[in-house]
Amino acid sequence: MKENAILMHRILAKKRLSENVFRMEVEAPLIARGRAAGQFVIVMADAEFGERVPLTIADADAEKGSVTLVFQAVGATTMKLARLEPGDALAAVAGPLGRPTSIRGANGEPAGRVACVGGGIGVAPLHPIVQALKRAGNRVTVVMGARTRDLFVMEDEMRALADELILVTDDGSSGRKGLVTEPLKELCAAGGVDEVIAIGPPVMMKFCALATKPFGVKTTVSLNTIMIDGTGMCGGCRVTVGGETKFVCVDGPEFDGHAVDWDQMMQRLSTFKPLEALARDHACRIGLGGRPATGV
């Protein structure tokens, strides 16, 4: 693969953030220059048998011509990605895709106070949104949640950006013990929160939306559904929002959290679970080339 790297998207750097979470810096100059907060890319690990997977852009360096991707190795393709090293290359990185985040304070809108809630690796796609919100003059409170302290990602980056950082863990090993919805309710009850942006597991985003609804606070969520082409042609990413069918890849990925049919979305996400498990087990058996996942 390395001899063809000049024609592909070279991996410039790689770091293991936790047991199964990796950060990769990938050469993609056109995407780095054209992307906006909230957008994503479709990635193929290899050309012959590569599956197309959507990954949100966690950061970008226009001068260097690179984008940063953060992913969790849970399926066959992400396990394959985790075994690639700097100098290797991805067969394809298509994007930027999706609608950019509507940033409060931009385009003449007044800046305000925004609460950004990230669960697990949902903190990674939240990072460029917080960057854009701060550039537009907003006061930003970031709430980060994880099962345990070792599973936090990009904590230092968020601490450097946020006006206030609240850490929440299920086991109390860092920050306060509990769920992200608890400090979120407190922020809304105290008043002054103009908007909430939540990114993480679907059930977390659902309950964030339920937490903010009684306060009438606008709540934006970023959906990560089943996706194939990323251009609205396959229909695999369809969701119901406000009683209407929407396609996450072209109408989103961000939607009004109070209008999403969460139960339908989560049911659709489970459609291919048995096949995904078979693919993952097969990948483990063959070792995906026999090279273990590393990363300094």
Side-chain angles (χ1 to χ4, degrees), residues 46-77:
D46 65 80
E48 187 175 3
F49 300 109
E51 176 189 23
R52 297 164 60 87
V53 293
L55 296 174
T56 309
I57 302 168
D59 206 351
D61 188 327
E63 292 187 7
K64 193 175 181 180
S66 67
V67 296
T68 299
L69 308 174
V70 176
F71 63 91
Q72 187 171 16
V74 293
T77 296

PDB file of all heavy atoms in Angstrom, residues 46-77:
ATOM      1  N   ASP A  46      -9.641   0.285   2.240  1.00  0.00           N
ATOM      2  CA  ASP A  46      -8.945  -0.290   1.086  1.00  0.00           C
ATOM      3  C   ASP A  46      -9.899  -0.337  -0.098  1.00  0.00           C
ATOM      4  O   ASP A  46     -11.121  -0.314   0.063  1.00  0.00           O
ATOM      5  CB  ASP A  46      -8.396  -1.689   1.404  1.00  0.00           C
ATOM      6  CG  ASP A  46      -9.504  -2.691   1.675  1.00  0.00           C
ATOM      7  OD1 ASP A  46     -10.099  -3.202   0.703  1.00  0.00           O
ATOM      8  OD2 ASP A  46      -9.778  -2.970   2.856  1.00  0.00           O
ATOM      9  N   ALA A  47      -9.330  -0.390  -1.298  1.00  0.00           N
ATOM     10  CA  ALA A  47     -10.130  -0.278  -2.515  1.00  0.00           C
ATOM     11  C   ALA A  47     -10.822  -1.580  -2.889  1.00  0.00           C
ATOM     12  O   ALA A  47     -11.928  -1.570  -3.429  1.00  0.00           O
ATOM     13  CB  ALA A  47      -9.250   0.195  -3.673  1.00  0.00           C
ATOM     14  N   GLU A  48     -10.207  -2.718  -2.578  1.00  0.00           N
ATOM     15  CA  GLU A  48     -10.739  -3.985  -3.058  1.00  0.00           C
ATOM     16  C   GLU A  48     -11.943  -4.463  -2.257  1.00  0.00           C
ATOM     17  O   GLU A  48     -12.966  -4.852  -2.825  1.00  0.00           O
ATOM     18  CB  GLU A  48      -9.645  -5.057  -3.030  1.00  0.00           C
ATOM     19  CG  GLU A  48     -10.066  -6.365  -3.679  1.00  0.00           C
ATOM     20  CD  GLU A  48      -8.918  -7.364  -3.756  1.00  0.00           C
ATOM     21  OE1 GLU A  48      -7.822  -7.051  -3.248  1.00  0.00           O
ATOM     22  OE2 GLU A  48      -9.126  -8.445  -4.325  1.00  0.00           O
ATOM     23  N   PHE A  49     -11.838  -4.418  -0.935  1.00  0.00           N
ATOM     24  CA  PHE A  49     -12.919  -4.915  -0.094  1.00  0.00           C
ATOM     25  C   PHE A  49     -13.417  -3.851   0.884  1.00  0.00           C
ATOM     26  O   PHE A  49     -14.106  -4.158   1.841  1.00  0.00           O
ATOM     27  CB  PHE A  49     -12.454  -6.146   0.712  1.00  0.00           C
ATOM     28  CG  PHE A  49     -12.018  -7.286  -0.153  1.00  0.00           C
ATOM     29  CD1 PHE A  49     -10.676  -7.625  -0.235  1.00  0.00           C
ATOM     30  CD2 PHE A  49     -12.943  -8.011  -0.885  1.00  0.00           C
ATOM     31  CE1 PHE A  49     -10.262  -8.688  -1.028  1.00  0.00           C
ATOM     32  CE2 PHE A  49     -12.536  -9.071  -1.677  1.00  0.00           C
ATOM     33  CZ  PHE A  49     -11.195  -9.411  -1.754  1.00  0.00           C
ATOM     34  N   GLY A  50     -13.061  -2.606   0.644  1.00  0.00           N
ATOM     35  CA  GLY A  50     -13.361  -1.551   1.600  1.00  0.00           C
ATOM     36  C   GLY A  50     -14.837  -1.226   1.722  1.00  0.00           C
ATOM     37  O   GLY A  50     -15.539  -1.045   0.729  1.00  0.00           O
ATOM     38  N   GLU A  51     -15.298  -1.151   2.948  1.00  0.00           N
ATOM     39  CA  GLU A  51     -16.649  -0.680   3.255  1.00  0.00           C
ATOM     40  C   GLU A  51     -16.597   0.836   3.435  1.00  0.00           C
ATOM     41  O   GLU A  51     -15.607   1.375   3.923  1.00  0.00           O
ATOM     42  CB  GLU A  51     -17.136  -1.346   4.547  1.00  0.00           C
ATOM     43  CG  GLU A  51     -18.490  -0.872   5.024  1.00  0.00           C
ATOM     44  CD  GLU A  51     -18.824  -1.385   6.412  1.00  0.00           C
ATOM     45  OE1 GLU A  51     -17.876  -1.732   7.168  1.00  0.00           O
ATOM     46  OE2 GLU A  51     -20.008  -1.447   6.755  1.00  0.00           O
ATOM     47  N   ARG A  52     -17.650   1.519   3.030  1.00  0.00           N
ATOM     48  CA  ARG A  52     -17.712   2.970   3.184  1.00  0.00           C
ATOM     49  C   ARG A  52     -18.271   3.293   4.568  1.00  0.00           C
ATOM     50  O   ARG A  52     -19.365   2.865   4.908  1.00  0.00           O
ATOM     51  CB  ARG A  52     -18.612   3.578   2.104  1.00  0.00           C
ATOM     52  CG  ARG A  52     -18.108   3.359   0.692  1.00  0.00           C
ATOM     53  CD  ARG A  52     -19.185   3.617  -0.333  1.00  0.00           C
ATOM     54  NE  ARG A  52     -19.684   4.992  -0.264  1.00  0.00           N
ATOM     55  CZ  ARG A  52     -19.147   6.015  -0.913  1.00  0.00           C
ATOM     56  NH1 ARG A  52     -18.097   5.822  -1.684  1.00  0.00           N
ATOM     57  NH2 ARG A  52     -19.658   7.232  -0.807  1.00  0.00           N
ATOM     58  N   VAL A  53     -17.521   4.050   5.351  1.00  0.00           N
ATOM     59  CA  VAL A  53     -17.988   4.411   6.692  1.00  0.00           C
ATOM     60  C   VAL A  53     -17.910   5.930   6.875  1.00  0.00           C
ATOM     61  O   VAL A  53     -16.952   6.560   6.449  1.00  0.00           O
ATOM     62  CB  VAL A  53     -17.177   3.707   7.806  1.00  0.00           C
ATOM     63  CG1 VAL A  53     -17.417   2.215   7.780  1.00  0.00           C
ATOM     64  CG2 VAL A  53     -15.702   4.011   7.685  1.00  0.00           C
ATOM     65  N   PRO A  54     -18.940   6.533   7.496  1.00  0.00           N
ATOM     66  CA  PRO A  54     -18.916   7.971   7.747  1.00  0.00           C
ATOM     67  C   PRO A  54     -18.160   8.285   9.034  1.00  0.00           C
ATOM     68  O   PRO A  54     -18.364   7.643  10.061  1.00  0.00           O
ATOM     69  CB  PRO A  54     -20.402   8.321   7.887  1.00  0.00           C
ATOM     70  CG  PRO A  54     -21.028   7.068   8.423  1.00  0.00           C
ATOM     71  CD  PRO A  54     -20.222   5.917   7.886  1.00  0.00           C
ATOM     72  N   LEU A  55     -17.282   9.284   8.978  1.00  0.00           N
ATOM     73  CA  LEU A  55     -16.551   9.745  10.153  1.00  0.00           C
ATOM     74  C   LEU A  55     -16.587  11.269  10.170  1.00  0.00           C
ATOM     75  O   LEU A  55     -16.315  11.916   9.149  1.00  0.00           O
ATOM     76  CB  LEU A  55     -15.096   9.265  10.126  1.00  0.00           C
ATOM     77  CG  LEU A  55     -14.857   7.754  10.198  1.00  0.00           C
ATOM     78  CD1 LEU A  55     -13.377   7.444  10.013  1.00  0.00           C
ATOM     79  CD2 LEU A  55     -15.363   7.185  11.513  1.00  0.00           C
ATOM     80  N   THR A  56     -16.920  11.843  11.318  1.00  0.00           N
ATOM     81  CA  THR A  56     -16.974  13.292  11.420  1.00  0.00           C
ATOM     82  C   THR A  56     -15.564  13.859  11.520  1.00  0.00           C
ATOM     83  O   THR A  56     -14.667  13.257  12.111  1.00  0.00           O
ATOM     84  CB  THR A  56     -17.790  13.717  12.646  1.00  0.00           C
ATOM     85  OG1 THR A  56     -19.045  13.043  12.622  1.00  0.00           O
ATOM     86  CG2 THR A  56     -18.043  15.212  12.634  1.00  0.00           C
ATOM     87  N   ILE A  57     -15.363  15.011  10.916  1.00  0.00           N
ATOM     88  CA  ILE A  57     -14.066  15.680  10.951  1.00  0.00           C
ATOM     89  C   ILE A  57     -13.888  16.331  12.328  1.00  0.00           C
ATOM     90  O   ILE A  57     -14.624  17.238  12.700  1.00  0.00           O
ATOM     91  CB  ILE A  57     -13.969  16.745   9.845  1.00  0.00           C
ATOM     92  CG1 ILE A  57     -14.188  16.099   8.470  1.00  0.00           C
ATOM     93  CG2 ILE A  57     -12.625  17.452   9.897  1.00  0.00           C
ATOM     94  CD1 ILE A  57     -14.396  17.099   7.356  1.00  0.00           C
ATOM     95  N   ALA A  58     -12.908  15.856  13.083  1.00  0.00           N
ATOM     96  CA  ALA A  58     -12.676  16.369  14.428  1.00  0.00           C
ATOM     97  C   ALA A  58     -11.818  17.620  14.428  1.00  0.00           C
ATOM     98  O   ALA A  58     -11.891  18.436  15.350  1.00  0.00           O
ATOM     99  CB  ALA A  58     -12.029  15.296  15.304  1.00  0.00           C
ATOM    100  N   ASP A  59     -11.009  17.798  13.394  1.00  0.00           N
ATOM    101  CA  ASP A  59     -10.159  18.979  13.281  1.00  0.00           C
ATOM    102  C   ASP A  59      -9.583  18.999  11.876  1.00  0.00           C
ATOM    103  O   ASP A  59      -9.661  18.010  11.139  1.00  0.00           O
ATOM    104  CB  ASP A  59      -9.034  18.951  14.325  1.00  0.00           C
ATOM    105  CG  ASP A  59      -8.527  20.346  14.686  1.00  0.00           C
ATOM    106  OD1 ASP A  59      -8.932  21.324  14.010  1.00  0.00           O
ATOM    107  OD2 ASP A  59      -7.738  20.472  15.631  1.00  0.00           O
ATOM    108  N   ALA A  60      -9.006  20.121  11.490  1.00  0.00           N
ATOM    109  CA  ALA A  60      -8.392  20.232  10.176  1.00  0.00           C
ATOM    110  C   ALA A  60      -7.285  21.276  10.213  1.00  0.00           C
ATOM    111  O   ALA A  60      -7.337  22.226  10.985  1.00  0.00           O
ATOM    112  CB  ALA A  60      -9.434  20.606   9.118  1.00  0.00           C
ATOM    113  N   ASP A  61      -6.290  21.081   9.370  1.00  0.00           N
ATOM    114  CA  ASP A  61      -5.179  22.015   9.235  1.00  0.00           C
ATOM    115  C   ASP A  61      -5.062  22.361   7.751  1.00  0.00           C
ATOM    116  O   ASP A  61      -4.522  21.571   6.960  1.00  0.00           O
ATOM    117  CB  ASP A  61      -3.885  21.384   9.752  1.00  0.00           C
ATOM    118  CG  ASP A  61      -2.727  22.364   9.810  1.00  0.00           C
ATOM    119  OD1 ASP A  61      -2.672  23.262   8.949  1.00  0.00           O
ATOM    120  OD2 ASP A  61      -1.877  22.224  10.707  1.00  0.00           O
ATOM    121  N   ALA A  62      -5.595  23.518   7.370  1.00  0.00           N
ATOM    122  CA  ALA A  62      -5.623  23.899   5.960  1.00  0.00           C
ATOM    123  C   ALA A  62      -4.215  24.076   5.400  1.00  0.00           C
ATOM    124  O   ALA A  62      -3.946  23.726   4.242  1.00  0.00           O
ATOM    125  CB  ALA A  62      -6.428  25.178   5.779  1.00  0.00           C
ATOM    126  N   GLU A  63      -3.294  24.631   6.196  1.00  0.00           N
ATOM    127  CA  GLU A  63      -1.923  24.849   5.714  1.00  0.00           C
ATOM    128  C   GLU A  63      -1.192  23.528   5.500  1.00  0.00           C
ATOM    129  O   GLU A  63      -0.468  23.349   4.520  1.00  0.00           O
ATOM    130  CB  GLU A  63      -1.154  25.723   6.704  1.00  0.00           C
ATOM    131  CG  GLU A  63      -1.653  27.165   6.773  1.00  0.00           C
ATOM    132  CD  GLU A  63      -0.753  28.031   7.645  1.00  0.00           C
ATOM    133  OE1 GLU A  63       0.309  27.533   8.081  1.00  0.00           O
ATOM    134  OE2 GLU A  63      -1.114  29.191   7.875  1.00  0.00           O
ATOM    135  N   LYS A  64      -1.409  22.607   6.411  1.00  0.00           N
ATOM    136  CA  LYS A  64      -0.766  21.302   6.310  1.00  0.00           C
ATOM    137  C   LYS A  64      -1.487  20.402   5.318  1.00  0.00           C
ATOM    138  O   LYS A  64      -0.914  19.438   4.803  1.00  0.00           O
ATOM    139  CB  LYS A  64      -0.726  20.660   7.704  1.00  0.00           C
ATOM    140  CG  LYS A  64       0.181  19.454   7.827  1.00  0.00           C
ATOM    141  CD  LYS A  64       0.218  19.008   9.283  1.00  0.00           C
ATOM    142  CE  LYS A  64       1.142  17.817   9.481  1.00  0.00           C
ATOM    143  NZ  LYS A  64       1.169  17.380  10.899  1.00  0.00           N
ATOM    144  N   GLY A  65      -2.763  20.705   5.071  1.00  0.00           N
ATOM    145  CA  GLY A  65      -3.553  19.893   4.138  1.00  0.00           C
ATOM    146  C   GLY A  65      -4.010  18.586   4.733  1.00  0.00           C
ATOM    147  O   GLY A  65      -4.035  17.549   4.052  1.00  0.00           O
ATOM    148  N   SER A  66      -4.400  18.615   6.013  1.00  0.00           N
ATOM    149  CA  SER A  66      -4.796  17.374   6.680  1.00  0.00           C
ATOM    150  C   SER A  66      -6.094  17.544   7.465  1.00  0.00           C
ATOM    151  O   SER A  66      -6.450  18.653   7.869  1.00  0.00           O
ATOM    152  CB  SER A  66      -3.693  16.912   7.634  1.00  0.00           C
ATOM    153  OG  SER A  66      -3.548  17.837   8.718  1.00  0.00           O
ATOM    154  N   VAL A  67      -6.777  16.430   7.650  1.00  0.00           N
ATOM    155  CA  VAL A  67      -7.950  16.391   8.517  1.00  0.00           C
ATOM    156  C   VAL A  67      -7.696  15.366   9.613  1.00  0.00           C
ATOM    157  O   VAL A  67      -6.952  14.406   9.421  1.00  0.00           O
ATOM    158  CB  VAL A  67      -9.240  16.032   7.747  1.00  0.00           C
ATOM    159  CG1 VAL A  67      -9.568  17.099   6.720  1.00  0.00           C
ATOM    160  CG2 VAL A  67      -9.133  14.661   7.081  1.00  0.00           C
ATOM    161  N   THR A  68      -8.308  15.597  10.766  1.00  0.00           N
ATOM    162  CA  THR A  68      -8.177  14.684  11.891  1.00  0.00           C
ATOM    163  C   THR A  68      -9.479  13.929  12.093  1.00  0.00           C
ATOM    164  O   THR A  68     -10.554  14.526  12.156  1.00  0.00           O
ATOM    165  CB  THR A  68      -7.808  15.446  13.182  1.00  0.00           C
ATOM    166  OG1 THR A  68      -6.549  16.095  12.995  1.00  0.00           O
ATOM    167  CG2 THR A  68      -7.706  14.503  14.363  1.00  0.00           C
ATOM    168  N   LEU A  69      -9.379  12.613  12.168  1.00  0.00           N
ATOM    169  CA  LEU A  69     -10.528  11.741  12.348  1.00  0.00           C
ATOM    170  C   LEU A  69     -10.363  10.974  13.657  1.00  0.00           C
ATOM    171  O   LEU A  69      -9.266  10.508  13.978  1.00  0.00           O
ATOM    172  CB  LEU A  69     -10.640  10.747  11.190  1.00  0.00           C
ATOM    173  CG  LEU A  69     -10.615  11.346   9.776  1.00  0.00           C
ATOM    174  CD1 LEU A  69     -10.584  10.232   8.738  1.00  0.00           C
ATOM    175  CD2 LEU A  69     -11.806  12.270   9.554  1.00  0.00           C
ATOM    176  N   VAL A  70     -11.431  10.867  14.422  1.00  0.00           N
ATOM    177  CA  VAL A  70     -11.428  10.088  15.658  1.00  0.00           C
ATOM    178  C   VAL A  70     -12.482   9.000  15.525  1.00  0.00           C
ATOM    179  O   VAL A  70     -13.627   9.279  15.156  1.00  0.00           O
ATOM    180  CB  VAL A  70     -11.724  10.975  16.883  1.00  0.00           C
ATOM    181  CG1 VAL A  70     -11.820  10.119  18.150  1.00  0.00           C
ATOM    182  CG2 VAL A  70     -10.630  12.031  17.048  1.00  0.00           C
ATOM    183  N   PHE A  71     -12.105   7.762  15.784  1.00  0.00           N
ATOM    184  CA  PHE A  71     -13.044   6.650  15.605  1.00  0.00           C
ATOM    185  C   PHE A  71     -12.822   5.592  16.671  1.00  0.00           C
ATOM    186  O   PHE A  71     -11.744   5.498  17.269  1.00  0.00           O
ATOM    187  CB  PHE A  71     -12.896   6.033  14.206  1.00  0.00           C
ATOM    188  CG  PHE A  71     -11.546   5.418  13.945  1.00  0.00           C
ATOM    189  CD1 PHE A  71     -11.304   4.080  14.213  1.00  0.00           C
ATOM    190  CD2 PHE A  71     -10.507   6.184  13.430  1.00  0.00           C
ATOM    191  CE1 PHE A  71     -10.053   3.511  13.974  1.00  0.00           C
ATOM    192  CE2 PHE A  71      -9.258   5.636  13.192  1.00  0.00           C
ATOM    193  CZ  PHE A  71      -9.035   4.285  13.468  1.00  0.00           C
ATOM    194  N   GLN A  72     -13.847   4.792  16.867  1.00  0.00           N
ATOM    195  CA  GLN A  72     -13.790   3.686  17.822  1.00  0.00           C
ATOM    196  C   GLN A  72     -13.763   2.382  17.042  1.00  0.00           C
ATOM    197  O   GLN A  72     -14.591   2.157  16.150  1.00  0.00           O
ATOM    198  CB  GLN A  72     -15.002   3.719  18.758  1.00  0.00           C
ATOM    199  CG  GLN A  72     -14.946   2.701  19.879  1.00  0.00           C
ATOM    200  CD  GLN A  72     -16.061   2.914  20.891  1.00  0.00           C
ATOM    201  OE1 GLN A  72     -17.026   3.623  20.617  1.00  0.00           O
ATOM    202  NE2 GLN A  72     -15.934   2.310  22.052  1.00  0.00           N
ATOM    203  N   ALA A  73     -12.814   1.517  17.342  1.00  0.00           N
ATOM    204  CA  ALA A  73     -12.672   0.242  16.641  1.00  0.00           C
ATOM    205  C   ALA A  73     -13.659  -0.769  17.222  1.00  0.00           C
ATOM    206  O   ALA A  73     -13.346  -1.498  18.155  1.00  0.00           O
ATOM    207  CB  ALA A  73     -11.241  -0.272  16.760  1.00  0.00           C
ATOM    208  N   VAL A  74     -14.858  -0.790  16.646  1.00  0.00           N
ATOM    209  CA  VAL A  74     -15.910  -1.684  17.141  1.00  0.00           C
ATOM    210  C   VAL A  74     -16.426  -2.629  16.072  1.00  0.00           C
ATOM    211  O   VAL A  74     -17.041  -3.642  16.388  1.00  0.00           O
ATOM    212  CB  VAL A  74     -17.097  -0.882  17.724  1.00  0.00           C
ATOM    213  CG1 VAL A  74     -16.691  -0.149  18.985  1.00  0.00           C
ATOM    214  CG2 VAL A  74     -17.658   0.086  16.692  1.00  0.00           C
ATOM    215  N   GLY A  75     -16.209  -2.307  14.795  1.00  0.00           N
ATOM    216  CA  GLY A  75     -16.673  -3.145  13.695  1.00  0.00           C
ATOM    217  C   GLY A  75     -15.511  -3.548  12.814  1.00  0.00           C
ATOM    218  O   GLY A  75     -14.363  -3.154  13.029  1.00  0.00           O
ATOM    219  N   ALA A  76     -15.814  -4.344  11.777  1.00  0.00           N
ATOM    220  CA  ALA A  76     -14.755  -4.873  10.915  1.00  0.00           C
ATOM    221  C   ALA A  76     -13.948  -3.752  10.265  1.00  0.00           C
ATOM    222  O   ALA A  76     -12.714  -3.813  10.223  1.00  0.00           O
ATOM    223  CB  ALA A  76     -15.366  -5.782   9.848  1.00  0.00           C
ATOM    224  N   THR A  77     -14.625  -2.734   9.750  1.00  0.00           N
ATOM    225  CA  THR A  77     -13.904  -1.672   9.035  1.00  0.00           C
ATOM    226  C   THR A  77     -13.103  -0.793   9.974  1.00  0.00           C
ATOM    227  O   THR A  77     -11.953  -0.445   9.684  1.00  0.00           O
ATOM    228  CB  THR A  77     -14.893  -0.813   8.224  1.00  0.00           C
ATOM    229  OG1 THR A  77     -15.491  -1.633   7.219  1.00  0.00           O
ATOM    230  CG2 THR A  77     -14.183   0.348   7.554  1.00  0.00           C
TER     231      THR A  77
END
